Amino acid sequence: MRTLAQLALSGRPLDVPVIDCHAHVGPSRGIDRPSSPDAIVRLMDKIGVERNVVSGLMFATGVRIEAMNDWVAECLHAHPDRFLGYCYINPNFPEAISAEIERCFEQPGFAGFKLHVSWNGVPYDSERYAPVYEFAAARRLPILAHTWGDESVRALARMARAHPSIPFLAGHSGAGDVEINLEEARQTPNLYLELTYSGGTPWLTKRLVDDVGADRIVWGSDTILFAASHQIGKVVFADVTEIAKRQILGGTARRLFGLT
Amino acid sequence: MEYVRLPLVLDVGNRQGEAARRTYEDVHAIATAHPRLPIVLWNCFYMDERLLVPLLDVCPNVRVGLATVFIPTFGIEQFTARYGPGRLIFGSNWPHQSPGPLLTYVLYADVPDVVKMAILGDTMHALIRDVRWPVRGFLADAKADGAAAPDESAGGGAAGPTEDADEVRPTVDAESAPWLEAMAELEARARSPQRASDEEGE
C-alpha cells in the first residue's frame, strides 16, 4: 500500500476521501479561470477530493446579496454528491439575514455558514450575527470564518464558547500569529483549525497536530483562488503519521458535516 | 549579463495594487531594453495575471518562478497552454516555505509529463547550459588582447564546467528515496517516446 506522500509524488489521486472545507465558486475580480461545477469536479478528481464545501467568491454586494448563494446552489444542483454549501450572509444588511438563511436552507445541500470579517468589517461577536448563531446552534451546523491569527480568532473563539453546539472552523489557521489560534483552540473544544493559507509555512501541520491533535484540524484549499493541488502538499508531506493525515484530510470534516 | 545570458532573478515582492503595477513596469523596462537577458521572476502574487500576462506576451525572455504564492487554480495549465512549457520554473522558497505544496502543485497539474519535467528542472537546466561560461575571464581577456567582446557567432560553446563535473549527487537515504524514485518515474515517463506520442493525441 502506497503512502499518501507516495501517491502525491506519482501524481495519482489520494486514496482517502478528502473533504475540502474551504472552497469557493463563482467569478472573482475578473480573473479568467474555469469555475463551472464540472470544471471544479474534474479538479477534485485529479487529487482525490470527494467533496468541496463551497461558498461564493468574494463578497455579497448590497444590490443582490443572494448572488453568492445562488452560485453555491448551482453546484449543489449539478453535483449533489460532490458539493456541500455554506450559506453566506452580509451582516451589514441585518434586515435581510433571516430571509436569506431560510431561502438557502430550503435547498438541499446547504450544510453550514461562511462568515468573512475582513470583507464585511463586522466582528464575529457582534449582535448582528445572532440569527446565524441561533440557526446553527439549533442544527449543530458548522461555521467557517475567515481569520488571520489575530483578534478575529479571539472573537470567533468567544462565540464558540458561547455556542458549544456549533463547530467553529477558524479559516487560515497558520496565517498571522498561529500561537493565538493554538491558545484559543486549547481552551475551546468546538473551535477547529482550518489549514488554508497561501504560504506553505514549514512544519505548520506538525506544529498544530502536536499541539491540539488531528481531530481538531480540517483541510481546506481556498479553491478556486488557490490551487487545491498546492494546498494538499502541506498535509501529505507533513511530518505526522498517516493516520493523522487521513484524519485532517477527511476524518474530522466527515464528523462535523455528518457525512457517513 | 545579457551578453553572457546569465539569468537575472528578480524578486517582485508579492506586492499588490499600485506597488505591483510599478514593479511590473520596471521589469518590462529591463526586459525590453535587454531582450536576450533571461529574467526569472520570483514571488509573483497569485492574482497577478492582469499584470503578468501582458508582460509575458511581449517579453519572451521573462519566466515565472512558482515559489511562494504564485499558485492560482489552473495556473500551470493556463500558462503552459498560452506560452508552452518553458516559461514556468519550480522553486520552493525554502526555508521560508515548505517545498511540498509547490511540488504537488506541479505534479497534480493537468499537463503532460514533459511539461512537468520542464517546470521541475529542464528549463532551468537549459538556462544554465546557455550561459556563456568563458566570460568569467572575458574582461581580463579583453584587456589583454585589446579585443571587444568575443565573437557571438562562436555560440558560447567554449570551455566551461561540464554537467558531470558540477553535478551534485543527492545522498540517498530512507527518507529521500521515495522522492528520488518518484522523480525518476516522472522523468522516465516524460522521456518515453511512446508516452510522448500518446500525449500528443490527448
Side-chain angles (χ1 to χ4, degrees):
Chain A
M1 180 178 160
R2 289 191 158 200
T3 64
L4 294 174
Q6 287 170 327
L7 287 169
L9 283 169
S10 64
R12 295 184 176 90
L14 303 180
D15 62 355
V16 55
V18 178
I19 309 294
D20 186 342
C21 291
H22 189 158
H24 295 286
V25 291
S28 171
R29 298 180 178 182
I31 293 174
D32 176 27
R33 289 173 194 149
S35 59
S36 69
D38 289 349
I40 299 299
V41 166
R42 282 197 297 275
L43 202 65
M44 295 159 65
D45 289 342
K46 188 90 179 159
I47 303 169
V49 177
E50 179 190 286
R51 282 180 195 259
N52 270 11
V53 193
V54 295
S55 60
L57 269 177
M58 293 279 288
F59 52 93
T61 69
V63 176
R64 205 172 79 82
I65 65 167
E66 65 271 23
M68 292 175 61
N69 294 322
D70 288 346
W71 300 332
V72 172
E74 184 187 349
C75 286
L76 298 175
H77 181 73
H79 295 282
D81 57 337
R82 304 302 299 277
F83 291 102
L84 291 174
Y86 289 116
C87 170
Y88 185 93
I89 61 91
N90 186 336
N92 292 302
F93 298 87
E95 71 285 356
I97 290 176
S98 293
E100 184 59 7
I101 292 174
E102 191 176 330
R103 190 181 76 90
C104 284
F105 285 92
E106 281 176 349
Q107 305 172 70
F110 277 91
F113 288 93
K114 171 70 190 293
L115 307 178
H116 202 305
V117 65
S118 298
W119 283 112
N120 295 319
V122 180
Y124 295 131
D125 50 1
S126 164
E127 277 297 315
R128 294 188 184 191
Y129 293 105
V132 173
Y133 297 146
E134 186 181 330
F135 191 92
R139 295 160 183 78
R140 298 181 177 275
L141 299 177
I143 295 177
L144 170 64
H146 174 92
T147 64
W148 207 257
D150 53 16
E151 173 55 28
S152 58
V153 180
R154 304 273 193 215
L156 191 71
R158 284 194 290 275
M159 290 301 94
R161 290 190 285 273
H163 302 282
S165 67
I166 303 175
F168 283 82
L169 281 53
H172 309 292
S173 293
D177 185 353
V178 70
E179 297 304 324
I180 294 177
N181 294 61
L182 289 169
E183 183 186 321
E184 295 293 349
R186 278 184 222 116
Q187 55 182 312
T188 316
N190 57 324
L191 182 67
Y192 294 81
L193 305 180
E194 186 274 322
L195 288 178
T196 294
Y197 179 38
S198 56
T201 308
W203 304 292
L204 172 67
T205 305
K206 178 174 172 52
R207 172 89 175 84
L208 300 183
V209 170
D210 288 348
D211 200 311
V212 299
D215 61 347
R216 297 286 301 284
I217 303 170
V218 295
W219 178 75
S221 71
D222 227 351
T223 297
I224 59 173
L225 205 55
F226 309 152
S229 54
H230 174 271
Q231 297 291 308
I232 203 87
K234 70 181 68 171
V235 178
V236 298
F237 294 131
D239 187 16
V240 299
T241 66
E242 285 288 296
I243 293 172
K245 293 176 186 179
R246 289 167 188 271
Q247 182 71 31
I248 294 168
L249 290 173
T252 305
R254 300 190 83 79
R255 174 167 55 85
L256 299 183
F257 286 95
L259 296 168
T260 54
Chain B
M1 292 181 74
E2 182 178 24
Y3 175 73
V4 298
R5 311 289 192 264
L6 194 63
L8 173 63
V9 174
L10 293 174
D11 186 336
V12 295
N14 192 17
R15 296 183 177 92
Q16 300 175 47
E18 177 66 11
R21 188 185 62 76
R22 285 199 303 270
T23 300
Y24 280 98
E25 283 179 356
D26 288 345
V27 174
H28 175 263
I30 297 169
T32 51
H34 304 281
R36 287 183 293 182
L37 172 66
I39 296 174
V40 181
L41 303 180
W42 292 118
N43 287 327
C44 301
F45 188 54
Y46 58 83
M47 289 194 287
D48 274 355
E49 284 102 322
R50 71 194 66 192
L51 299 165
L52 200 49
V53 170
L55 177 71
L56 294 178
D57 280 351
V58 298
C59 299
N61 53 328
V62 175
R63 294 166 179 81
V64 180
L66 296 178
T68 311
V69 296
F70 188 70
I71 52 170
T73 298
F74 298 115
I76 290 175
E77 292 85 344
Q78 289 185 316
F79 274 72
T80 57
R82 189 178 181 93
Y83 301 113
R87 305 289 289 278
L88 297 177
I89 289 177
F90 174 78
S92 72
N93 205 13
W94 175 263
H96 303 293
Q97 303 288 327
S98 170
L102 269 307
L103 194 55
T104 48
Y105 185 45
V106 177
L107 294 174
Y108 277 123
D110 193 12
V111 296
D113 290 330
V114 288
V115 175
K116 296 177 186 176
M117 284 302 298
I119 296 169
L120 290 172
D122 285 353
T123 298
M124 196 65 209
H125 270 300
L127 285 180
I128 294 169
R129 201 167 48 236
D130 289 345
V131 174
R132 298 175 172 186
W133 295 104
V135 84
R136 286 171 177 162
F138 166 66
L139 291 176
D141 291 345
K143 282 179 185 172
D145 60 23
D151 181 8
E152 287 194 23
S153 64
T162 65
E163 288 189 16
D164 286 345
D166 273 6
E167 189 173 2
V168 177
R169 300 277 179 193
T171 303
V172 180
D173 53 27
E175 193 173 344
S176 57
W179 295 69
L180 297 174
E181 190 179 308
M183 291 303 105
E185 279 180 22
L186 175 64
E187 184 169 18
R189 289 200 306 270
R191 309 287 188 235
S192 159
Q194 181 59 46
R195 176 66 181 170
S197 168
D198 290 347
E199 285 172 350
E200 282 173 8
E202 288 177 1

